[in-house]
Amino acid sequence: MIDLNNVDELQINKDHQIKFKHFRKTIQGQTFMKDDTDYEKVCGDRWDLNVVNTPIIIVKALNENDVKETIKFSRDNKLKVVVKTTGHNNNSVTDGGVLLDLSLMKSISVNPNNQTVTVGGGCTLHDVDEATSKYGLATPLGQISSVGIGGFSSGGGFGHLTKLHGLSCDNLLECIIITADGESKLCNNETNQDLFWAIRGAGGFVGVIVSFTFKCYPISNVVVGTFIYNIDGTNNAKNALIEVGTRHLNTSDPLVYAININPGLPDHVMVKVLYFGDSSIGESLVQQFQNSTNPTTSSISIDTPFTKIQWEFDGIIAPGKYYQEGPLLKSTITPAIADALLQTISTRNTQTFSSIIVTELGGKVNMVHQNETAFPVRNSTFNIFISSVIFTPNLEQPLKEWTKNSINLFKDYIAGEYINTSYSTDMKLIFKENFDRLIKVKDQYDPNNIFRSLK
């Protein structure tokens, strides 16, 4: 066992020693090394456990200075830096690099007058929704509240408010990022505009964001219709999916749709229909959707707290080993896409749990030009997210093959890949026409490539 307080140098190889003791003195948070008592526990403190995570050093940063010192230390010792908050993403692991854990940096400040929220890089979506809801406000965030704000929003970020108010990164007003030189930079539409452009879609490639300020919107209680359809010979499930797709094409449709196929109920489709506004109008509109389909079971809730919708998966989607992937569509849900969705779930491996979450984009997302932010897929209508739990090691490869084969069913309808749900290493495929500009920003602010690589 290593006594961290007495280690002066850590031998990496015959030519490279790291002076850990000196570095430790610069950190106000916590540091962990291999063979330390708590090292394995801290490595495993993450949501997705289906990773190989063997950092040479873990830093649980307490403040901005800890982040700066960690970046300088990593740069000087030619070590890669990966950033983690909750560990939902497989990009928050390293083999032999530095793991920078921001989970202790949880400051939140809501300004109800100008309708903004400023949050620390270690906050979760739950933390943010909890703070803003006290003022009747919300910013566009995702549907799994244990996700960290940093990777989610800097990769794009979508959820229940996306159609109405855009991506999470579209609602980022400014942020503070620490780049490879160890210096903090304020970024917004007037200051460090090139960095601000890159952060909105590719933040993890150019630095560590320690503070975000988002635009918020008044969100009162919500009308929620929950409709369940059996996947059977009646075609009701398929018709419900097509109905969502048809309504999506109507740009004046004020309803928002969220779909979960196999939502803990085998061989079922659940469609949630949401209305943000006057409850009497919303109830009528949601009922019209119910009347146009033929759900097996249905319920309509009036004045549902927005946080109840945001937090409904809390305690259900537990940490574990997962394989998750899914593309962004350029087509609405057509009969062919509905067939592909139902075929996908019908061919799943019943020895484990797999589901498909379909999130509606369109709306405000499509109104932003593809070059305005680093996030390039502005013609997307829906995201299809296929998630599977790996109960035993022998299931992993079959699940990967099933997922790949399923995504191939949508190949003619795909607008692009989503950085937060992709295992692709081809960043040109993900960032498309924005790749060359992103490379220039990367070369300027991370010339030694200590953060996530673009190529």
Side-chain angles (χ1 to χ4, degrees):
M1 184 182 298
I2 295 177
D3 183 348
L4 297 180
N5 292 316
N6 294 320
V7 168
D8 184 32
E9 294 182 343
L10 179 66
Q11 188 79 36
I12 302 303
N13 56 50
K14 66 178 182 178
D15 300 317
H16 192 189
Q17 292 180 329
I18 294 180
K19 294 184 177 181
F20 177 80
K21 188 174 182 180
H22 172 73
F23 171 60
R24 176 66 182 88
K25 290 179 180 179
T26 70
I27 301 298
Q28 290 183 283
Q30 300 170 290
T31 53
F32 304 87
M33 296 171 63
K34 289 183 178 180
D35 298 325
D36 176 56
T37 303
D38 294 324
Y39 172 85
E40 294 294 339
K41 179 182 177 181
V42 176
C43 273
D45 182 20
R46 51 182 296 111
W47 183 83
D48 187 359
L49 302 174
N50 190 38
V51 295
V52 176
N53 193 25
T54 54
I56 196 165
I57 299 171
I58 303 170
V59 179
K60 296 194 78 170
L62 194 61
N63 51 42
E64 188 174 320
N65 188 66
D66 283 357
V67 177
K68 290 180 178 180
E69 292 297 332
T70 301
I71 290 174
K72 292 175 184 177
F73 173 78
S74 303
R75 180 197 64 211
D76 293 345
N77 288 284
K78 298 180 173 60
L79 296 172
K80 297 283 287 186
V81 179
V82 298
V83 181
K84 166 194 168 284
T85 300
T86 59
H88 272 261
N89 196 298
N90 67 319
N91 296 311
S92 58
V93 295
T94 179
D95 181 15
V98 176
L99 179 62
L100 177 56
D101 187 328
L102 302 183
S103 61
L104 300 179
M105 299 177 65
K106 280 183 171 285
S107 62
I108 302 184
S109 175
V110 180
N111 187 326
N113 294 323
N114 64 9
Q115 298 183 350
T116 62
V117 59
T118 300
V119 305
C123 289
T124 65
L125 308 189
H126 190 289
D127 296 330
V128 182
D129 278 327
E130 183 175 44
T132 56
S133 65
K134 294 175 182 177
Y135 300 90
L137 298 171
T139 191
L141 298 175
Q143 301 164 347
I144 309 298
S145 76
S146 59
V147 170
I149 190 70
F152 171 82
S153 60
S154 66
F158 43 74
H160 294 123
L161 294 178
T162 300
K163 177 182 176 181
L164 302 179
H165 299 300
L167 299 171
S168 182
C169 72
D170 296 337
N171 289 278
L172 182 63
L173 298 177
E174 69 176 28
C175 64
I176 297 173
I177 186 171
I178 303 175
T179 48
D181 59 4
E183 300 299 324
S184 61
K185 296 175 177 63
L186 178 68
C187 300
N188 53 41
N189 279 324
E190 289 76 40
T191 305
N192 292 310
Q193 295 169 319
D194 54 348
L195 263 179
F196 192 53
W197 174 87
I199 285 163
R200 290 173 293 166
F205 294 88
V206 292
V208 179
I209 307 172
V210 294
S211 175
F212 302 78
T213 298
F214 295 101
K215 181 179 180 180
C216 295
Y217 302 87
I219 299 295
S220 58
N221 290 347
V222 186
V223 178
V224 182
T226 304
F227 307 117
I228 307 293
Y229 307 85
N230 289 342
I231 300 175
D232 53 24
T234 64
N235 276 336
N236 288 340
K238 177 180 177 178
N239 291 338
L241 293 172
I242 296 171
E243 180 70 15
V244 171
T246 301
R247 287 167 170 260
H248 177 84
L249 294 176
N250 179 3
T251 56
S252 63
D253 181 14
L255 298 176
V256 173
Y257 306 94
I259 299 168
N260 194 332
I261 302 175
N262 210 41
L265 296 169
D267 301 315
H268 286 77
V269 170
M270 179 173 70
V271 178
K272 280 192 175 291
V273 183
L274 313 178
Y275 179 80
F276 298 86
D278 182 86
S279 59
S280 60
I281 297 174
E283 183 177 15
S284 175
L285 291 172
V286 172
Q287 195 130 39
Q288 288 175 27
F289 180 89
Q290 178 182 355
N291 294 340
S292 66
T293 61
N294 189 22
T296 305
T297 62
S298 62
S299 67
I300 299 177
S301 301
I302 309 299
D303 294 333
T304 303
F306 180 62
T307 51
K308 182 179 180 180
I309 304 168
Q310 292 291 88
W311 301 345
E312 66 181 338
F313 293 122
D314 289 14
I316 299 175
I317 302 180
K321 294 187 175 184
Y322 289 83
Y323 188 81
Q324 308 182 112
E325 197 168 5
L328 294 157
L329 297 184
K330 62 185 175 184
S331 166
T332 192
I333 300 175
T334 62
I337 290 176
D339 283 336
L341 287 167
L342 297 176
Q343 180 180 338
T344 293
I345 210 64
S346 70
T347 58
R348 73 189 185 280
N349 189 325
T350 56
Q351 292 180 291
T352 188
F353 176 73
S354 298
S355 66
I356 307 171
I357 297 173
V358 183
T359 304
E360 188 177 25
L361 281 75
K364 286 293 182 69
V365 178
N366 299 158
M367 297 179 186
V368 178
H369 191 274
Q370 61 191 12
N371 304 134
E372 190 170 326
T373 68
F375 182 89
V377 191
R378 291 295 176 172
N379 61 334
S380 183
T381 55
F382 293 88
N383 173 250
I384 294 176
F385 182 54
I386 303 173
S387 177
S388 298
V389 183
I390 304 171
F391 287 137
T392 58
N394 65 301
L395 286 174
E396 182 166 2
Q397 191 55 39
L399 282 173
K400 289 181 178 180
E401 292 176 3
W402 170 74
T403 303
K404 296 293 184 186
N405 291 337
S406 297
I407 291 174
N408 192 52
L409 295 175
F410 304 97
K411 63 181 180 180
D412 294 333
Y413 314 102
I414 291 176
E417 294 195 42
Y418 177 41
I419 187 67
N420 286 347
T421 61
S422 175
Y423 294 98
S424 176
T425 57
D426 185 351
M427 296 299 109
K428 193 166 187 177
L429 177 67
I430 288 176
F431 291 108
K432 298 175 174 287
E433 60 275 1
N434 290 340
F435 180 77
D436 290 341
R437 180 179 176 184
L438 191 55
I439 284 288
K440 291 179 181 178
V441 179
K442 172 79 166 173
D443 289 345
Q444 180 179 353
Y445 291 98
D446 184 22
N448 296 317
N449 203 34
I450 69 169
F451 302 118
R452 188 175 177 187
S453 298
L454 279 168
K455 55 183 180 179

